[in-house]
Amino acid sequence: MVSSDTARNVVGVLGNIISLFLFLSPVPTFIQIWKKKAVEQYSPIPYLATLVNCMVWILYGLPLVHPNSLLVVTINGSGTAIEFVYIILFVIYSDKKKRIKVLLIVLLEIIFIAVLAICVLTLAHTTKKRSMIVGFICVCFNVMMYASPLAVMKTVITTKSVEYMPFFLSFASFANGIAWSTYAIIRFDPFILIPNGVGTLFALAQLILYAVFYKSTKRQIAAREEKGEVGLSEVVVNGDLKRASTAALNGTASEIHRA
């Protein structure tokens, strides 16, 4: 019979693999940014939110804070490195104003994590207290990260199109939530279970929207191609890839996050 620790490790490794795919899902977006040498309509908010979320979870998984959580550290360490790469590319291809804003936010996030780590490790003297403090913060950040697609879901409902809500990303989010919720249940950990349970529900809602509006999206794309129109991600203003006005795009949302 498989022990609970073995089952937990297997699920945790599976969760690491799924999470890695989730972290890598924006790669096509950044390839597009790199080719066009401009960030266009893309927002740095999802990547900044994911960065601070990963750093907090690394702190949570440390042996001095929450023992026996190596798999939490490995995936969030990988996620931190990947998000830094995304942010560096975003900074390179942004205008000066946006570049400074992003760098300041990253600096504030690093300072926040450093201060949190110092306070927790020096003022809380047991792993139980440290886990509770950092775990509560992790829940807050993780729920906010999982809630970030709500803006995209609103756009889907408004436009009746899932063109800017990739199926793979929604499916990977759902699978990721299931894996880590299972991991948390095997050896009960409410700080991992709560945010991933919420994330599973958000991802399921996205998949339902995808099923509901898939056909209408195909019709909209076909109609646009017949008229020779282009989607938001293809808009080029005066040949220099400046931020496009969406007033001429027949009701397309003013800002769409593709993260």
Side-chain angles (χ1 to χ4, degrees):
M1 186 175 179
V2 179
S3 67
S4 60
D5 285 343
T6 301
R8 184 171 181 264
N9 287 335
V10 170
V11 174
V13 170
L14 180 61
N16 268 245
I17 295 170
I18 297 172
S19 295
L20 185 60
F21 277 110
L22 195 60
F23 285 132
L24 292 174
S25 60
V27 166
T29 293
F30 281 90
I31 290 176
Q32 188 177 39
I33 289 173
W34 174 69
K35 286 181 178 180
K36 294 183 177 181
K37 310 298 181 186
V39 297
E40 296 183 290
Q41 296 280 38
Y42 298 108
S43 169
I45 293 175
Y47 313 107
L48 293 167
T50 304
L51 175 63
V52 70
N53 181 71
C54 286
M55 290 192 293
V56 173
W57 277 110
I58 290 175
L59 180 59
Y60 179 81
L62 293 178
L64 291 174
V65 177
H66 194 77
N68 303 314
S69 300
L70 177 62
L71 292 172
V72 174
V73 175
T74 55
I75 187 55
N76 285 287
S78 301
T80 297
I82 292 169
E83 296 306 320
F84 266 120
V85 172
Y86 292 155
I87 291 170
I88 289 170
L89 289 172
F90 202 96
V91 167
I92 291 173
Y93 296 115
S94 296
D95 56 60
K96 184 178 179 180
K97 183 178 179 180
K98 186 176 291 186
R99 184 180 300 128
I100 293 173
K101 183 179 180 180
V102 170
L103 289 173
L104 285 174
I105 293 174
V106 171
L107 180 60
L108 289 173
E109 289 182 348
I110 293 173
I111 292 173
F112 169 75
I113 296 298
V115 171
L116 177 62
I118 292 171
C119 290
V120 168
L121 295 176
T122 57
L123 300 179
H125 302 296
T126 65
T127 55
K128 184 177 181 179
K129 289 181 179 179
R130 292 169 180 172
S131 296
M132 186 173 297
I133 295 169
V134 180
F136 178 76
I137 295 173
C138 285
V139 169
C140 294
F141 278 117
N142 221 36
V143 169
M144 285 191 291
M145 188 186 76
Y146 274 128
S148 61
L150 287 175
V152 178
M153 292 170 67
K154 180 181 178 181
T155 299
V156 169
I157 294 171
T158 302
T159 63
K160 294 181 173 55
S161 171
V162 294
E163 186 175 359
Y164 298 100
M165 189 177 72
F167 174 80
F168 174 77
L169 184 58
S170 298
F171 181 77
S173 296
F174 179 71
N176 184 66
I178 290 290
W180 286 107
S181 294
T182 304
Y183 176 89
I185 290 172
I186 293 174
R187 182 184 290 175
F188 189 67
D189 188 332
F191 299 117
I192 294 179
L193 179 60
I194 292 171
N196 284 286
V198 172
T200 301
L201 294 177
F202 279 135
L204 179 61
Q206 292 176 52
L207 292 175
I208 291 172
L209 285 177
Y210 198 93
V212 171
F213 294 113
Y214 177 77
K215 290 184 178 179
S216 63
T217 302
K218 289 294 184 182
R219 289 196 294 269
Q220 289 182 38
I221 293 175
R224 192 168 62 224
E225 288 176 350
E226 287 179 5
K227 295 179 181 179
E229 296 177 356
V230 297
L232 180 60
S233 62
E234 300 169 348
V235 174
V236 178
V237 180
N238 297 326
D240 61 359
L241 299 172
K242 291 182 179 178
R243 190 180 185 96
S245 169
T246 55
L249 292 181
N250 299 324
T252 302
S254 61
E255 184 173 297
I256 296 177
H257 298 164
R258 296 182 59 187

